[in-house]
C-alpha cells in the first residue's frame, strides 16, 4: 500500500477511501492506512481511535486552528496505551517514527494523551576497529559495529536496501567515494527482521592510505560505515546559535581502536586523553601506545531532553561540545 499522506490534508482529502478500493488497488495514504488498521483491530475486538498529528517540524499547535497544522493520521489503542503509525512499514511494533514523536494530538475521543511519546533515549552505538598499517602505507582491518534505537533502525534499513551485488561491492564502493582503492567483505544481522537493533562485521584492505617516508600526521576515526560516529556530535558546534527551538535527543556512542603501526613509522607524539562529566554531555577519550600498537577509546553520552530544546539550551549544548571537538582535532604525529 502506498504510504504517503495527503500533504496538509486540504479540504476534500480528509475522507478515507472505501476500504475495498484500498485493498483491491493496494493504494492509500495515511488516513486510509489508519482506517484499515482500525478495522483490522476491531475485527479482533481491540478498540482504537484515529488521531491527528503534525508529521513535520511543528511541536506546538497555534491558538487559531488551521487544518494544515495536523497533516498526518495515526491510531491510538487505549487498552495498550499505545500510538501506532501504520504508514511506517519498518518500525518495530510500539515505536513511532521520529517525525511524529512528542507531537500534540488532536482527538475526538476522550482519554487520548495530549501528546505522542517522546524519544525513549535508547539510541546507542558501539564500534570496535582493528587497523594494521603496512610499510607501504596500505591498511587492512576489521570492524565490528552494534547499534540500537534511533541509530540501529537507519543502519538496518540501509543494509536492507542493498541488493546482493551491491552488498558484495559495498566496501569497494565506500573506498572509491573516499578516492581510495579498497575491497572487503560484510556480514550483518538480518536486515529484514523488524528491529531497531542491528550489527555488522567487516574486513577490508585499502591501498595508499598513508604517505610514509616523510613527516606527517593522521587523525583517528571510522574507516567504514558508522551511523553515529563520535565526530558527528560536533558537526554543528561552530555554527551560529539557532534563534528557535529545535529537535534534540539523548544518545550514547563509543569507539575503540587498535592500530598496529609499521616499523618504518617513527611516532613523535600521540594525543592526550580528555575527560569531563557535564549535565548535558559526558565525554572521555584515552590514547595509549604499547610498542607498535596504539590503543584509542572515545565515549560520549548526550543527555539532551527529547524531543525539543530551547535556543538557550542548544547554545549551552554547543558550548559543552567544544572540548570534544578539540579532542577530535588531535592527531598522531610521525616521520
Amino acid at each position: 500500500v502506498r504510504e504517503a499522506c495527503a500533504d496538509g490534508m486540504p479540504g476534500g482529502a480528509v475522507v478515507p477511501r472505501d476500504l475495498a478500493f484500498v485493498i483491491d488497488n493496494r493504494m492509500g495514504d495515511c488516513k486510509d492506512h489508519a482506517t484499515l488498521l482500525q478495522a483490522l483491530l476491531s475485527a479482533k475486538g481491540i478498540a482504537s481511535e484515529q488521531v491527528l498529528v503534525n508529521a513535520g517540524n511543528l511541536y506546538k499547535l497555534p491558538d487559531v486552528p488551521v487544518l494544515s497544522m495536523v497533516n498526518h493520521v495515526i491510531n491510538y489503542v487505549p487498552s495498550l496505551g499505545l500510538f501506532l503509525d501504520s504508514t511506517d512499514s519498518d518500525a518495530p511494533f510500539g515505536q513511532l517514527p521520529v517525525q511524529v514523536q512528542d507531537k500534540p494530538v488532536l482527538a475526538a475521543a476522550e482519554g487520548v494523551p495530549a501528546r505522542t511519546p517522546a524519544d525513549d533515549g535508547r539510541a546507542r552505538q558501539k564500534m570496535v576497529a582493528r587497523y594494521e598499517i603496512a610499510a607501504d602505507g596500505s591498511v587492512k582491518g576489521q570492524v565490528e559495529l552494534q547499534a540500537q534505537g534511533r541509530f540501529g533502525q537507519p543502519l538496518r534499513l540501509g543494509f536492507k536496501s542493498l541488493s546482493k551485488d551491491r552488498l558484495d561491492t559495498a566496501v569497494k564502493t565506500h573506498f572509491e567515494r573516499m578516492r581510495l582503492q579498497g575491497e572487503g567483505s560484510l556480514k550483518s544481522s538480518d536486515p529484514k527482521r523488524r528491529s531497531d537493533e542491528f550489527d555488522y562485521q567487516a574486513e577490508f584492505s585499502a591501498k595508499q592510505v598513508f604517505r610514509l617516508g616523510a613527516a606527517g600526521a593522521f587523525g583517528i576515526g571510522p574507516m567504514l560505515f558508522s551511523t553515529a560516529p563520535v565526530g558527528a556530535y560536533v558537526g554543528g558546534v561552530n555554527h551560529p546559535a539557532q534563534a528557535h527551538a529545535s529537535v534534540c535527543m539523548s544518545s550514547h556512542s563509543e569507539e575503540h581502536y587498535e592500530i598496529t603501526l609499521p616499523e618504518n613509522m617513527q611516532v613523535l607524539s600521540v594525543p592526550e586523553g580528555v575527560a569531563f562529566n557535564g549535565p548535558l554531555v559526558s565525554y572521555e577519550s584515552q590514547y595509549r601506545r604499547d610498542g607498535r600498537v596504539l590503543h584509542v577509546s572515545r565515549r560520549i553520552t548526550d543527555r539532551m531532553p527529547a524531543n525539543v530544546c530551547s535556543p538557550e539550551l542548544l547554545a549551552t549544548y554547543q558550548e559543552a561540545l567544544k572540548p570534544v571537538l578539540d579532542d577530535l582535532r588531535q592527531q598522531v604525529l610521525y616521520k
Side-chain angles (χ1 to χ4, degrees):
V1 177
R2 183 169 58 85
E3 298 175 354
C5 194
D7 184 15
M9 294 179 56
V14 297
V15 179
R17 299 176 179 86
D18 181 82
L19 291 185
F21 176 87
V22 173
I23 294 172
D24 289 344
N25 292 277
R26 297 183 63 80
M27 63 170 292
D29 56 22
C30 61
K31 60 186 181 295
D32 302 315
H33 271 257
T35 302
L36 182 56
L37 177 58
Q38 188 174 28
L40 293 171
L41 290 170
S42 179
K44 290 295 184 179
I46 302 172
S48 66
E49 301 290 343
Q50 294 186 34
V51 301
L52 296 171
V53 296
N54 181 275
N57 59 3
L58 186 71
Y59 285 81
K60 182 180 179 181
L61 294 178
D63 294 332
V64 178
V66 180
L67 184 60
S68 61
M69 297 297 98
V70 280
N71 57 6
H72 193 55
V73 185
I74 61 176
N75 299 82
Y76 178 70
V77 182
S79 61
L80 299 176
L82 196 65
F83 287 96
L84 303 173
D85 186 345
S86 57
T87 66
D88 191 328
S89 60
D90 279 295
F93 179 75
Q95 295 185 19
L96 288 176
V98 172
Q99 61 266 26
V100 293
Q101 291 178 358
D102 195 23
K103 293 297 182 67
V105 173
L106 190 61
E110 295 182 356
V112 178
R115 299 185 74 87
T116 57
D119 184 75
D120 59 11
R122 290 182 59 253
R124 299 180 67 87
Q125 177 176 290
K126 179 179 179 179
M127 186 192 71
V128 177
R130 299 173 181 86
Y131 304 154
E132 182 176 346
I133 305 173
D136 62 357
S138 63
V139 178
K140 64 179 181 180
Q142 303 85 39
V143 176
E144 300 173 5
L145 187 142
Q146 299 171 330
Q148 70 177 42
R150 205 174 63 255
F151 296 156
Q153 177 78 340
L155 185 64
R156 179 179 68 84
L157 295 181
F159 271 71
K160 182 182 177 182
S161 68
L162 297 176
S163 65
K164 184 181 183 305
D165 289 342
R166 290 180 63 196
L167 185 62
D168 290 342
T169 60
V171 174
K172 180 176 181 289
T173 301
H174 173 77
F175 282 115
E176 286 176 349
R177 290 171 179 167
M178 297 170 63
R179 296 187 175 89
L180 293 172
Q181 183 180 353
E183 59 183 10
S185 60
L186 285 169
K187 294 190 299 183
S188 74
S189 50
D190 184 3
K192 295 182 180 179
R193 176 176 171 265
R194 189 174 299 184
S195 170
D196 67 355
E197 296 184 359
F198 192 77
D199 61 79
Y200 81 78
Q201 303 82 42
E203 295 186 357
F204 72 90
S205 62
K207 297 180 179 179
Q208 298 178 327
V209 179
F210 295 95
R211 178 177 176 266
L212 301 182
F218 65 88
I220 301 165
M223 293 194 70
L224 285 182
F225 324 107
S226 177
T227 304
V230 173
Y233 285 75
V234 299
V237 166
N238 290 323
H239 291 178
Q242 298 191 46
H244 53 81
S246 184
V247 174
C248 59
M249 301 173 192
S250 59
S251 61
H252 175 85
S253 180
E254 57 184 271
E255 301 169 352
H256 305 273
Y257 302 92
E258 181 181 291
I259 305 172
T260 301
L261 306 172
E263 293 288 343
N264 61 333
M265 177 185 285
Q266 181 183 347
V267 176
L268 302 178
S269 69
V270 298
E272 295 184 2
V274 175
F276 66 89
N277 187 7
L280 297 178
V281 179
S282 294
Y283 180 73
E284 180 183 12
S285 65
Q286 296 177 338
Y287 304 87
R288 176 177 59 87
R289 186 159 66 96
D290 182 9
R292 306 307 304 173
V293 180
L294 177 63
H295 300 272
V296 179
S297 66
R298 296 176 178 141
R299 297 178 177 87
I300 186 167
T301 300
D302 183 332
R303 299 193 184 93
M304 292 287 271
N307 279 61
V308 184
C309 290
S310 67
E312 295 77 17
L313 187 59
L314 289 167
T316 303
Y317 176 66
Q318 284 180 285
E319 192 67 27
L321 284 170
K322 287 185 177 180
V324 181
L325 177 59
D326 290 339
D327 181 61
L328 295 177
R329 284 172 168 167
Q330 295 192 92
Q331 295 182 312
V332 177
L333 303 181
Y334 67 88
K335 69 176 184 178

